[in-house]
Amino acid sequence: MLVAVASVKGAPGVTTLAVGLAALWPRPGAVLVEGDPAGGDLWARFGHHPSPGLAGLAAATVHPAAGQDLRAHLQRLPVGVDAVLAPPGDGAAASVRMLADRGTGILRRAAGSSTVVLDLGRLEPGGPNLALAGAADQVLLLARPELAELNQVGARLPWLLPRLAGRLWLVPAGSGRVPTGQITRALGVSVIGAVPHSRWGAPALAGQLQVPNWRRLAWGRAVARIAEALAATEPAPALGTPLLPPAVSPVLHAPQPHAEPVRAPR
């Protein structure tokens, strides 16, 4: 299965969620690919070198002798995740574009035998990472459950949905005032799970803290539930049947006073 994790505005924790999904996938062998054209962060966060990584994988799309086996470009992160690390700066954008133009077949082949999680950063019209999202079986879109940010998501669905061959899910990140049911009704996109704000779990996967039991924290349990729900969808939906965009951009309205408050994470 090929799983893409992205956002359309802000920085709600895309990379951290992608690492968590790869680490907590219920079946062994899941790998992570940093495909954010804005540049990779994991190599610096965990004290690695960006090579081998995305640049070599992109080069393999032009020169097959460079190794089109995804395993040749992996590095093991301290949190137990095998990852294709992206370089910083403009080098990442060039590598993502090469991969989008020539390398989706490599990703699809790798996803045929194990789960591949793509960290795509922010999606924009015409961005090279949008083509990678379009090749995915499942696309997770992170957004804070606040009116302004969710309306920004709704305004982008008309150009985003036609580019996706797989299924789009929304993942509310952090605390907010908009209940899950209202998000689904207004945007027409199902919520597969929410990830709470975390003082310990998320920083552990960002290389900021060493928290050996992060999987048992509320953040880790929430991400594990999302991974299990995604794994349960296999076999993945057939590619080539994009979802249709809504006729008009959906707009969320302020919740009524009786709306249930978001519980603080434990």
Side-chain angles (χ1 to χ4, degrees):
M1 178 186 290
L2 189 58
V3 179
V5 185
S7 69
V8 292
K9 193 176 188 296
V14 170
T15 297
T16 307
L17 177 59
V19 175
L21 288 174
L24 295 169
W25 199 260
R27 289 186 284 276
V31 300
L32 171 71
V33 176
E34 278 194 292
D36 185 349
D41 297 315
L42 292 176
W43 68 274
R45 289 179 182 178
F46 291 102
H48 285 241
H49 191 277
S51 180
L54 187 69
L57 179 61
T61 66
V62 181
H63 305 289
Q68 291 197 347
D69 187 342
L70 203 63
R71 292 173 295 182
H73 308 280
L74 294 173
Q75 294 191 48
R76 184 77 168 180
L77 300 181
V79 290
V81 174
D82 290 321
V84 178
L85 302 179
D90 295 338
S95 296
V96 172
R97 187 167 299 279
M98 291 174 65
L99 197 61
D101 290 343
R102 300 170 175 264
T104 54
I106 298 176
L107 298 175
R108 294 296 313 169
R109 286 193 295 274
S113 57
S114 62
T115 299
V116 177
V117 180
L118 302 174
D119 164 20
L120 299 184
R122 186 184 304 178
L123 299 177
E124 296 178 348
N129 52 347
L130 185 56
L132 297 182
D137 301 305
Q138 312 286 347
V139 180
L140 274 58
L141 202 63
L142 266 72
R144 294 183 179 88
E146 296 287 352
L147 296 175
E149 187 155 339
L150 291 170
N151 278 314
Q152 294 285 355
V153 172
R156 289 162 171 79
L157 290 179
W159 61 256
L160 175 60
L161 283 172
R163 297 297 303 273
L164 304 181
R167 181 165 183 177
L168 178 67
W169 303 91
L170 196 72
V171 179
S175 59
R177 298 179 299 162
V178 184
T180 297
Q182 185 181 351
I183 294 173
T184 299
R185 289 192 300 272
L187 298 182
V189 178
S190 297
V191 173
I192 195 169
V195 288
H197 171 74
S198 175
R199 184 179 179 184
W200 308 110
L205 292 189
Q208 299 169 351
L209 294 173
Q210 291 186 3
V211 185
N213 65 336
W214 65 266
R215 291 172 173 81
R216 297 164 55 188
L217 301 176
W219 189 91
R221 296 197 304 270
V223 175
R225 288 192 292 269
I226 295 174
E228 290 167 1
L230 287 170
T233 66
E234 292 183 294
L239 297 178
T241 309
L243 300 173
L244 296 178
V248 296
S249 298
V251 177
L252 285 158
H253 302 283
Q256 298 302 314
H258 64 272
E260 294 184 3
V262 177
R263 296 180 180 270
R266 292 184 293 176

